[in-house]
Amino acid sequence: MKKIFFIILCSLSFYQFANAQDKLLNFGVKTAVGMSDFSISGNHGINTDTRQSWEGGIMLRANIPVLPIYTQIEANYTNAGSTLSYNDVEQELITNRVEVPILLGARFSLGEIAVRGFGGVIAQKTVRDNLADFDSNLELNDFGWGWQAGVGADIKKFTVDLKYQRGANIITGSNSIESNQYLLSVGYFIW
């Protein structure tokens, strides 16, 4: 039984090695749509509701030879927000950010399809927001770190991901406003 398991493991490793050798680096473009909202600490009677979000950008994936592991770095422009309600008044809070996810993933290939799981950190820089419309006393924290985790599949040069993203705190001080996003992305590797 141990010999059979060892032979299967060696065969899978050799297949991964042969498959990865001709594709050590992949570069492509991607876009995503999803839903976002904000988590507000201390709540203060403020209710949040989800709204549509989107992102688009480029990606560079490095496949690690022999192992079914890869790293991926992206550069995305993201629009996220939420509808906030307080005392029967509704206000949309929207942020536009440049994000750089740094991800580590594992994949398992069967023929033309590779199934993946991944996670990592995201550097986020807010480039535009309407925070002053909501409360002029809030001070923007325009750079921070978030995280992301998800699953995906690769079919030839196409990639599809379903991921959850928790953003950085966008205000300074003792309270916090953090974005949450569920995104479905589609990408294409140019090379």
Side-chain angles (χ1 to χ4, degrees):
M1 186 66 176
K2 289 181 183 179
K3 288 181 182 180
I4 293 173
F5 179 73
F6 180 73
I7 290 170
I8 292 171
L9 184 62
C10 287
S11 298
L12 287 173
S13 296
F14 177 76
Y15 175 77
Q16 288 289 345
F17 177 75
N19 195 29
Q21 287 305 306
D22 58 342
K23 302 176 191 172
L24 290 176
L25 281 178
N26 300 38
F27 173 79
V29 295
K30 68 184 311 186
T31 186
V33 294
M35 298 302 288
S36 66
D37 71 352
F38 285 107
S39 298
I40 301 173
S41 70
N43 203 357
H44 310 290
I46 299 171
N47 297 316
T48 64
D49 196 15
T50 59
R51 70 175 287 276
Q52 187 175 0
S53 62
W54 56 267
E55 73 179 20
I58 58 174
M59 59 186 166
L60 180 66
R61 183 182 295 172
N63 298 303
I64 299 173
V66 181
L67 301 175
I69 297 173
Y70 68 93
T71 60
Q72 183 166 304
I73 187 166
E74 301 173 7
N76 298 318
Y77 186 83
T78 302
N79 175 283
S82 182
T83 302
L84 307 179
S85 307
Y86 181 72
N87 291 338
D88 296 327
V89 176
E90 285 191 359
Q91 171 74 41
E92 277 201 79
L93 179 55
I94 300 170
T95 61
N96 292 319
R97 302 183 296 241
V98 173
E99 298 182 335
V100 180
I102 303 166
L103 307 169
L104 179 64
R107 70 178 190 194
F108 182 72
S109 296
L110 288 174
E112 295 286 325
I113 299 174
V115 179
R116 300 175 288 104
F118 59 89
V121 298
I122 307 168
Q124 299 175 319
K125 168 82 171 129
T126 301
V127 292
R128 198 174 110 209
D129 68 276
N130 67 341
L131 194 60
D133 295 345
F134 182 68
D135 187 343
S136 60
N137 296 322
L138 294 176
E139 187 177 338
L140 179 68
N141 184 11
D142 64 347
F143 179 81
W145 292 91
W147 60 271
Q148 182 179 105
V151 294
D154 297 334
I155 305 165
K156 297 187 179 184
K157 290 188 167 199
F158 291 94
T159 182
V160 177
D161 292 338
L162 181 61
K163 57 189 175 181
Y164 171 75
Q165 179 172 306
R166 177 79 172 194
N169 183 18
I170 64 170
I171 61 169
T172 60
S174 59
N175 293 326
S176 70
I177 299 176
E178 297 173 329
S179 67
N180 304 295
Q181 286 182 278
Y182 292 93
L183 293 163
L184 175 64
S185 69
V186 177
Y188 180 77
F189 286 111
I190 298 166
W191 54 266

